[in-house]
Amino acid sequence: MTILELDAKAEKLEFTNDHMDVHLVDGRLLRVPLDWYPRLEWATPKQRKHYELIYDGEAIHWPDIDEDISIAGLLKGNKAPRTLPYLTGKWPEPIARERKRIEKAHQPKKPIASKPRKRATAI
């Protein structure tokens, strides 16, 4: 970690329809696209606003959607994984569709059945 990441602590959050603004105690502002974090993207405005600054502002926790994001991770540009464990849960339809896409991508491929050959008939 760099010194900039070690000293970074959140002070407050604000949300638009597609971004999260993280205000840091040192005056910096991080604007993060919500589509980096599907759980936040599909959370209700009320769920987004219900957050806790943890570890003295070094991370953010959303208890309603079970999401945790570190400020150091935001500074590095880390995005949420698109994995089944992350997307598991009762989520709105867009999350359910993404989960199904991931499950389908990880299913073993079925062999393609060949067409039956025509048998020659005797005349």
Side-chain angles (χ1 to χ4, degrees), residues 37-72:
Y37 300 95
R39 289 181 179 189
L40 281 176
E41 183 178 21
W42 298 108
T44 65
K46 183 178 178 181
Q47 289 171 323
R48 289 182 195 149
K49 289 178 184 177
H50 183 214
Y51 66 89
E52 303 165 357
L53 298 177
I54 57 176
Y55 305 113
D56 197 29
E58 292 179 8
I60 310 159
H61 172 68
W62 286 266
D64 296 343
I65 59 171
D66 193 28
E67 181 72 285
D68 296 290
I69 301 173
S70 73
I71 303 306

Side-chain angles (χ1 to χ4, degrees), residues 8-79:
K9 295 183 181 196
E11 185 174 59
K12 70 175 183 172
L13 304 180
E14 295 176 324
F15 291 91
T16 66
N17 287 337
D18 56 355
H19 288 89
M20 170 176 65
D21 290 337
V22 182
H23 297 265
L24 303 182
V25 295
D26 63 9
R28 288 181 285 173
L29 172 67
L30 303 175
R31 176 160 274 191
V32 182
L34 287 178
D35 66 0
W36 284 13
Y37 300 95
R39 289 181 179 189
L40 281 176
E41 183 178 21
W42 298 108
T44 65
K46 183 178 178 181
Q47 289 171 323
R48 289 182 195 149
K49 289 178 184 177
H50 183 214
Y51 66 89
E52 303 165 357
L53 298 177
I54 57 176
Y55 305 113
D56 197 29
E58 292 179 8
I60 310 159
H61 172 68
W62 286 266
D64 296 343
I65 59 171
D66 193 28
E67 181 72 285
D68 296 290
I69 301 173
S70 73
I71 303 306
L74 290 175
L75 288 168
K76 289 179 185 177
N78 293 348
K79 299 176 185 178

Side-chain angles (χ1 to χ4, degrees), residues 75-88:
L75 288 168
K76 289 179 185 177
N78 293 348
K79 299 176 185 178
R82 299 302 200 266
T83 61
L84 286 177
Y86 177 78
L87 295 173
T88 300

